[in-house]
């Protein structure tokens, strides 16, 4: 087992003001929160950002703002494969790359219909590569518009183009994750593999993933940072296994009413993030709030056992 510290990259949520416009001051506080928690990058303009519920202009404006505020303190990636045609997607990819991000992420479900074969997907990716010059690209098996899982064989073929430097995996199954990670060890590449499924954290890190990029980082990023930094530490294996069991047990809870649940949790932690969402129209029920309250208590218990210092919100002011 290698003692390699991994990276945690949060999928950034979008705070809104009382009129459901982007609250850029709250965005700044949230970025400071992530960075103080020890994250090693930021995924902007993603599903957690409610990217399908904001306009094209807002996607660009928000991403540019994040790039400017981070100001080189961490790498930034952002989704760019928007548009009806491959040409449209290539055009938006160029525009979002011009905001200053380090790589542009392509949603796998944007490159083939549900009924299309992998050959169609490969042809469309090849066309996208040819239309985007030398822009560093990544893949994301996003649940929307539908989840297109990349098979190990297709993964291997896409790697051979030498255009991909980032992959956010939502395979969930250990078999598929392990197969892709094995390919990375066999094929010369510069791709960083991030698992999006928190219950996979220990498994993926111990099988060669560079890190995690999961929605749980919008609740307790410090805990995920600890996990990826210690998953391969032989002196911490008892705590790693214990924490993985804890994170897996609560994982269904954090998906309920997300991203509202995350916004409520961050509000409990003292961040100026309102429970306003464009993607989720309903308010949290009293029962849902009670569940999140209990999760907050668990988070404090994890920190106490693992000697993790929760981010002090007062220090972000």
């Amino acid at each position: 087992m290698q003692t390699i510290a991994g990276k945690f990259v949060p999928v950034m949520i979008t705070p809104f003001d009382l009129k459901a416009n982007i609250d850029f001051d709250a965005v700044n506080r949230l970025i400071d929160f992530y960075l103080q928690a020890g994250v090693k990058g930021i995924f902007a303009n993603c599903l957690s950002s409610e990217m399908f519920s904001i306009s094209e202009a807002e996607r660009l404006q928000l991403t540019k703002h994040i790039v400017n505020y981070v100001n080189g303190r961490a790498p930034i990636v952002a989704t760019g494969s928007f548009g009806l045609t491959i040409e449209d997607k290539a055009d938006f990819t160029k525009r979002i790359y011009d905001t200053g991000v380090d790589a542009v992420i392509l949603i796998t479900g944007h490159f083939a219909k549900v009924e299309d074969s992998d050959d169609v997907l490969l042809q469309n990716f090849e066309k996208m590569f040819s239309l985007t010059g030398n822009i560093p690209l990544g893949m994301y098996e996003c649940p929307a518009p539908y989840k297109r899982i990349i098979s190990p064989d297709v993964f291997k073929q896409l790697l051979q183009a030498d255009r991909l430097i980032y992959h956010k995996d939502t395979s969930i199954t250990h078999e598929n994750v392990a197969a892709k990670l094995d390919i990375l060890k066999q094929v010369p590449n510069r791709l960083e593999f991030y698992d999006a499924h928190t219950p996979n954290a220990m498994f993926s890190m111990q099988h060669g993933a560079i890190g995690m990029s999961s929605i749980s980082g919008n609740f307790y990023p410090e805990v995920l940072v600890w996990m990826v930094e210690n998953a391969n530490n032989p002196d911490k294996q008892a705590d790693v296994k214990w924490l993985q069991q804890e994170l897996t047990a609560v994982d269904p809870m954090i998906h309920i009413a997300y991203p509202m649940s995350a916004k409520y949790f961050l509000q409990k932690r003292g961040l100026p993030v309102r429970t306003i969402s464009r993607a989720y129209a309903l308010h949290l029920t009293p029962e849902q709030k009670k569940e999140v309250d209990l999760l907050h208590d668990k988070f404090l218990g994890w920190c106490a056992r693992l000697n993790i210092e929760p981010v002090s919100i007062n220090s972000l002011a």
Side-chain angles (χ1 to χ4, degrees):
M1 188 183 296
Q2 296 177 325
T3 57
I4 298 174
K7 304 177 182 180
F8 184 75
V9 176
V11 280
M12 189 167 185
I13 63 168
T14 301
F16 295 106
D17 64 19
L18 293 173
K19 294 184 178 180
N21 295 316
I22 298 172
D23 185 339
F24 289 101
D25 288 336
V27 169
N28 295 347
R29 293 289 297 280
L30 187 58
I31 290 169
D32 290 337
F33 169 72
Y34 290 137
L35 293 175
Q36 190 165 319
V39 306
K40 295 297 188 288
I42 290 175
F43 193 155
N45 191 45
C46 55
L47 191 59
S48 290
S49 310
E50 307 183 44
M51 64 182 177
F52 291 110
S53 301
I54 61 178
S55 68
E56 184 176 280
E58 286 175 316
R59 292 169 190 155
L60 293 167
Q61 182 187 21
L62 177 60
T63 303
K64 180 64 174 175
H65 178 89
I66 293 169
V67 168
N68 288 344
Y69 189 77
V70 171
N71 193 28
R73 289 178 287 171
I76 299 168
V77 301
T79 309
S81 56
F82 291 97
L84 295 176
T85 67
I86 300 300
E87 289 79 6
D88 292 338
K89 299 181 201 305
D91 177 68
F92 191 77
T93 291
K94 293 172 184 175
R95 293 166 66 194
I96 207 153
Y97 185 62
D98 286 343
T99 65
V101 297
D102 294 273
V104 180
I105 307 303
L106 311 179
I107 294 175
T108 54
H110 281 170
F111 290 86
K113 297 176 183 177
V114 177
E115 65 272 17
D116 285 341
S117 68
D118 284 338
D119 286 340
V120 172
L121 182 141
L122 286 166
Q123 289 167 9
N124 284 331
F125 263 102
E126 183 179 357
K127 186 174 183 180
M128 186 69 170
F129 292 159
S130 70
L131 292 172
T132 50
N134 295 317
I135 294 174
L137 301 173
M139 289 188 295
Y140 173 24
E141 296 169 336
C142 185
Y146 77 99
K147 186 189 282 195
R148 183 83 180 208
I149 297 296
I150 300 298
S151 70
D153 179 61
V154 170
F155 185 70
K156 185 174 183 178
Q157 293 184 65
L158 288 169
L159 278 181
Q160 292 169 349
D162 197 30
R163 288 296 307 282
L164 300 170
I165 68 168
Y166 193 103
H167 175 67
K168 181 176 177 183
D169 197 271
T170 64
S171 297
I172 296 179
T173 67
H174 285 184
E175 181 183 13
N176 206 347
V177 170
K180 291 178 187 175
L181 289 171
D182 284 344
I183 289 168
L184 288 179
K185 297 169 188 174
Q186 300 164 10
V187 178
N189 69 87
R190 50 197 177 123
L191 183 140
E192 293 191 344
F193 187 104
Y194 294 86
D195 200 318
H197 189 51
T198 301
N200 280 356
M202 182 178 75
F203 176 88
S204 292
M205 294 301 301
Q206 293 181 355
H207 282 76
I210 192 68
M212 295 293 297
S213 183
S214 52
I215 68 170
S216 49
N218 284 318
F219 295 77
Y220 26 77
E222 307 96 321
V223 174
L224 274 299
V225 167
W226 187 95
M227 172 60 89
V228 299
E229 290 183 348
N230 288 282
N232 289 306
N233 183 343
D235 298 328
K236 297 286 187 179
Q237 288 308 294
D239 282 336
V240 167
K241 291 175 183 176
W242 170 80
L243 179 59
Q244 184 61 78
Q245 291 175 344
E246 291 287 308
L247 292 173
T248 299
V250 302
D251 195 62
M253 183 190 308
I254 68 173
H255 285 79
I256 297 172
Y258 183 81
M260 288 284 275
S261 54
K263 293 183 176 185
Y264 176 71
F265 194 97
L266 291 173
Q267 196 176 80
K268 283 184 66 68
R269 296 198 59 182
L271 281 157
V273 177
R274 297 179 179 86
T275 51
I276 295 173
S277 167
R278 294 191 193 173
Y280 188 83
L282 303 175
H283 293 291
L284 293 180
T285 66
E287 292 77 15
Q288 288 169 338
K289 288 183 177 180
K290 185 176 180 180
E291 287 288 301
V292 177
D293 292 342
L294 291 172
L295 179 59
H296 186 264
D297 292 339
K298 279 185 171 290
F299 157 66
L300 295 177
W302 299 337
C303 291
R305 168 164 171 165
L306 300 171
N307 294 315
I308 296 171
E309 187 67 35
V311 172
S312 170
I313 302 305
N314 292 334
S315 69
L316 305 180

